[in-house]
Amino acid sequence: MSETIDVVVIGGGYAGVMAANRLTQRGDVSVILINPRPSFVERIRLHQLVGGSHSAVVDYRKVLAERVRLVVGSVERIDTGGRRVALAGGDALRYDYLVYAVGSGSADPQVPGAAEFARPIACLEDAERLRPLLDTAPAKAAVTVVGAGPSGIETAAELAEQGRAVTLVCGGALGPSLHARGRRDVARRLARLGVRVLDGPGTQVTEVTRDAVTLQNGRVVPSDVTVWTAGFGVPDLAARSGLRTDALGRLLTDETLTSVDDARVVAAGDAAAPSGLPYRMGCQSAVQLGPQAAETVLSRIAGTAPRPVQVGFAGVCLSLGRRAGVFQFAHRNDVAVPFHLAGRPGAKLKEVICRSTVWQLGYEARRPGVRTWWAKDAKRRQLLQSRRVEVPATAGPAA
């Protein structure tokens, strides 16, 4: 009689869903996915939820394998010694292996007034609170978006396309991950939409009040609604559970995504820091890290050596309202190249990517393990060697 192996996945985002689905390859593996919400959230569409063009929510039945048991709740602590996770309601779940995929959210802005007066957009609840605030604000209300990464740019464009008076405060360069050519196209599109872009030196925010944003250069920007998109943070669950993390709180792992403290704990997605050199946060890395974390677990169950992680990037895709976008192509190591696709074709490609990501989750649910090859970044090994990264070896085998 075969014995069931219990695997708990904490976090039902892109990485967690991919990991849970991949684990169903083995019939003797029981998979539980713990998530605080009953529905899957398309984080790459949250700016659309704020703008009213998409719900950014998908039924888990469309993306999750039937054999995966969904538990709606929050994890308070991981007891690695007893191999149990304690839930907020007082229940506990036992595991043989654990996939840590808690994702990311808004970082503490560390700017006076920001926590009180600025509105984040990093999770579903943030976006749901912001949308009615904008709906009830006067049409001429001044909206300030702080942060010029993908979330800030997309949110500014979405709101400006609706006729809002939007100021984008960059705190430095506009779209720092973009090539100069792609950045120029983004700037042109934002200008056409009427977005006032404040970039360059001195544009870091030093204070947020109820009706204004103050910059380092002394400029005061009137703001009836301030949206904060600058930076991401991760939950402190790993640190609270006695597991080692990097400075941001991401779980420290080796190159197989295995915790440096416990061989039965494997990490994936935004909250993973393999070799202390984490990948860029986002669904592009998450959909690759999730199944590879599952493969590490499956390898340990089978008694074989897990493979080192491989993640390769294709670029950065931005929607600039509903009628334009930019796809910035990049090397596998996430460094932008001069070539990009802009305008209406860029918008269409962005929408294809958003839809195909959900399709990819569902495909993995129906046919787990079909894809076993991952785009390889040949530069990572060189980067590890050049920085002489020394991460403690994973604590013992876990057969």
Side-chain angles (χ1 to χ4, degrees):
M1 183 175 178
S2 63
E3 188 175 322
T4 300
I5 301 162
D6 297 318
V7 183
V8 169
V9 180
I10 305 177
Y14 296 101
V17 169
M18 287 293 282
N21 288 340
R22 177 60 62 98
L23 287 163
T24 61
Q25 286 182 89
R26 286 186 62 124
D28 59 349
V29 171
S30 171
V31 186
I32 295 177
L33 178 70
I34 305 173
N35 192 62
R37 307 173 194 88
S39 300
F40 177 78
V41 177
E42 290 188 80
R43 283 187 64 179
I44 54 179
R45 289 193 187 271
L46 287 179
H47 62 287
Q48 290 185 251
L49 189 158
V50 170
S53 63
H54 201 283
S55 68
V57 172
V58 175
D59 193 313
Y60 266 120
R61 287 177 295 183
K62 294 184 178 180
V63 297
L64 202 59
E66 290 184 3
R67 284 186 47 217
V68 177
R69 175 188 164 198
L70 175 65
V71 173
V72 179
S74 299
V75 177
E76 289 289 324
R77 188 174 182 278
I78 303 167
D79 175 11
T80 55
R83 293 187 204 157
R84 298 169 71 86
V85 293
L87 301 180
D91 293 335
L93 294 172
R94 179 194 169 278
Y95 68 84
D96 292 305
Y97 292 91
L98 177 76
V99 177
Y100 187 82
V102 297
S104 62
S106 299
D108 184 351
Q110 302 279 315
V111 172
E116 183 178 1
F117 299 113
R119 310 294 176 179
I121 192 179
C123 68
L124 178 66
E125 290 76 16
D126 290 340
E128 288 178 334
R129 284 189 289 266
L130 177 57
R131 182 176 174 183
L133 186 63
L134 288 164
D135 287 344
T136 57
K140 299 294 185 180
V143 179
T144 301
V145 178
V146 179
S151 294
I153 291 172
E154 291 186 320
T155 302
E158 197 80 19
L159 296 178
E161 193 175 61
Q162 297 177 352
R164 293 285 181 182
V166 180
T167 298
L168 178 61
V169 177
C170 299
L174 170 68
S177 62
L178 302 174
H179 188 274
R181 295 181 181 178
R183 188 175 299 119
R184 283 195 293 269
D185 266 337
V186 170
R188 280 194 287 264
R189 175 60 181 171
L190 291 175
R192 291 192 195 101
L193 291 172
V195 177
R196 180 173 58 159
V197 176
L198 304 180
D199 61 348
T203 58
Q204 295 88 351
V205 175
T206 58
E207 185 182 12
V208 180
T209 62
R210 189 180 303 276
D211 56 6
V213 171
T214 302
L215 307 186
Q216 189 180 52
N217 58 18
R219 184 171 185 173
V220 178
V221 181
S223 181
D224 297 304
V225 180
T226 301
V227 183
W228 195 273
T229 71
F232 290 94
V234 299
D236 64 349
L237 176 60
R240 282 191 283 113
S241 302
L243 295 166
R244 277 178 285 182
T245 66
D246 69 1
L248 193 63
R250 290 170 288 213
L251 183 66
L252 277 177
T253 76
D254 63 15
E255 283 294 284
T256 71
L257 301 175
T258 305
S259 166
V260 298
D261 297 309
D262 192 322
R264 291 181 180 269
V265 177
V266 179
D270 292 353
S275 301
L277 288 174
Y279 296 94
R280 171 165 57 87
M281 292 182 179
C283 75
Q284 189 174 177
S285 54
V287 296
Q288 299 178 70
L289 290 168
Q292 291 184 77
E295 290 291 347
T296 290
V297 172
L298 294 172
S299 293
R300 295 196 181 280
I301 293 173
T304 59
R307 295 180 179 179
V309 64
Q310 293 184 4
V311 173
F313 290 88
V316 177
C317 196
L318 302 174
S319 66
L320 300 172
R322 296 298 87 214
R323 295 184 291 275
V326 166
F327 187 92
Q328 170 67 70
F329 290 87
H331 293 294
R332 295 292 192 192
N333 65 343
D334 205 23
V335 175
V337 300
F339 182 62
H340 68 280
L341 191 66
R344 187 63 179 171
K348 289 183 177 180
L349 181 55
K350 167 74 174 185
E351 182 60 24
V352 167
I353 290 172
C354 288
R355 293 185 181 184
S356 66
T357 301
V358 173
W359 177 87
Q360 186 178 357
L361 299 176
Y363 187 76
E364 184 70 33
R366 298 186 298 272
R367 303 187 64 185
V370 169
R371 182 185 176 190
T372 57
W373 176 86
W374 306 100
K376 187 174 183 179
D377 169 19
K379 303 275 187 183
R380 182 168 177 85
R381 181 175 294 276
Q382 298 174 17
L383 184 61
L384 291 169
Q385 292 174 343
S386 67
R387 295 192 180 185
R388 296 181 180 177
V389 174
E390 293 183 6
V391 176
T394 300

